[in-house]
């Protein structure tokens, strides 16, 4: 899995790309937290849950269904005022679902030993993408050693640089082609 830093970066950049005005602080806090939420399933290690179990790491909490549920739950709990505005509610639900789903997608690009159960709870088969360039991050304090440095270098090359580059391209193009009239 990529580090928590990379998952959170993805959510923050996604929030900046949508370029909405007057987004509340809770939007930014959730944009930072939700992309890392699926890794709450690491508690399964403490309970010695089999790696192939739906509640194991990279199981249900990394699935598309989980991401959709989190998107809906986030809007219901934190953006209730937008539920009656269908377009705004759908937009926020989609946004929070996508940034949560980004976690499983990034994990599917790692060189880790276990894939991601994208289709849980309907199918618990674990998948990787054919291209897995991102180094798998160690869990816990092991991250702050030599292995963590290798992971950060990999994430910088394969995630941070492309995501930040896309952000600047979008911002530049938006500013160049959609200038406001004074």
């Amino acid at each position: 899995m990529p580090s928590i830093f990379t998952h959170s970066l993805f959510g923050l950049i996604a929030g900046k790309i949508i370029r909405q005005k007057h987004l509340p602080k809770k939007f930014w806090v959730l944009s930072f937290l939700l992309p890392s939420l699926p890794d709450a399933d690491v508690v399964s290690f403490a309970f010695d849950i089999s790696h192939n179990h739906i509640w194991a790491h990279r199981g249900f909490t990394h699935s598309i269904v989980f991401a959709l549920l989190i998107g809906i739950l986030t809007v219901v709990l934190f953006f209730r005022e937008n539920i009656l505005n269908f377009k705004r509610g759908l937009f926020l639900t989609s946004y929070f679902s996508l940034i949560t789903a980004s976690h499983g997608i990034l994990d599917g690009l790692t060189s880790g030993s276990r894939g991601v159960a994208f289709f849980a709870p309907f199918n618990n088969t674990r998948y990787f993408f054919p291209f897995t360039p991102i180094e798998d991050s160690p869990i816990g304090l092991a991250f702050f050693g030599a292995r963590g440095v290798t992971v950060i270098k990999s994430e910088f090359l394969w995630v941070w640089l492309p995501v930040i580059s896309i952000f600047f391209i979008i911002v530049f193009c938006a500013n160049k082609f959609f200038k406001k009239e004074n």
Side-chain angles (χ1 to χ4, degrees):
M1 73 182 154
S3 69
I4 192 170
F5 307 110
T6 294
H7 287 301
S8 295
L9 169 82
F10 193 88
L12 292 175
I13 294 290
K16 293 299 279 181
I17 286 174
I18 63 171
R19 299 174 55 90
Q20 300 267 323
K21 290 184 180 179
H22 310 295
L23 292 168
K25 287 181 185 177
K26 63 185 173 184
F27 174 88
W28 294 108
V29 170
L30 291 162
S31 292
F32 179 80
L33 294 175
L34 291 181
S36 296
L37 179 64
D39 272 345
D41 66 5
V42 297
V43 300
S44 66
F45 297 140
F47 295 102
D48 202 27
I49 295 174
S50 164
H51 295 301
N52 294 325
H53 195 278
I54 194 169
W55 296 113
H57 182 55
R58 292 188 172 181
F60 178 70
T61 63
H62 286 60
S63 72
I64 296 165
V65 170
F66 179 79
L68 288 170
L69 291 173
I70 291 299
I72 293 166
L73 190 61
T74 300
V75 172
V76 168
L77 292 176
F78 298 101
F79 296 92
R80 234 176 268 135
E81 66 277 7
N82 292 287
I83 293 173
L84 296 178
N85 179 338
F86 179 76
K87 283 174 64 174
R88 181 78 169 159
L90 182 61
F91 171 78
L92 287 170
T93 300
S94 299
Y95 170 78
F96 289 121
S97 295
L98 287 171
I99 65 168
T100 304
S102 73
H103 186 107
I105 292 167
L106 288 172
D107 278 9
L109 292 167
T110 65
S111 59
S113 59
R114 289 179 294 282
V116 178
F118 290 115
F119 305 108
F122 307 108
N123 179 344
N124 197 34
T125 303
R126 307 299 174 103
Y127 298 92
F128 279 110
F129 290 107
F131 182 61
T132 56
I134 304 169
E135 292 289 326
D136 202 30
S137 178
I139 295 172
L141 294 177
F143 177 78
F144 297 101
R147 180 85 181 110
V149 172
T150 301
V151 168
I152 289 296
K153 286 179 184 177
S154 171
E155 291 176 0
F156 184 77
L157 176 66
W158 295 108
V159 183
W160 290 54
L161 277 177
V163 167
I164 291 170
S165 297
I166 290 168
F167 169 72
F168 281 115
I169 289 167
I170 289 171
V171 168
F172 172 76
C173 290
N175 287 340
K176 182 173 174 120
F177 298 112
F178 301 106
K179 287 188 178 185
K180 292 181 182 179
E181 293 182 26
N182 292 326

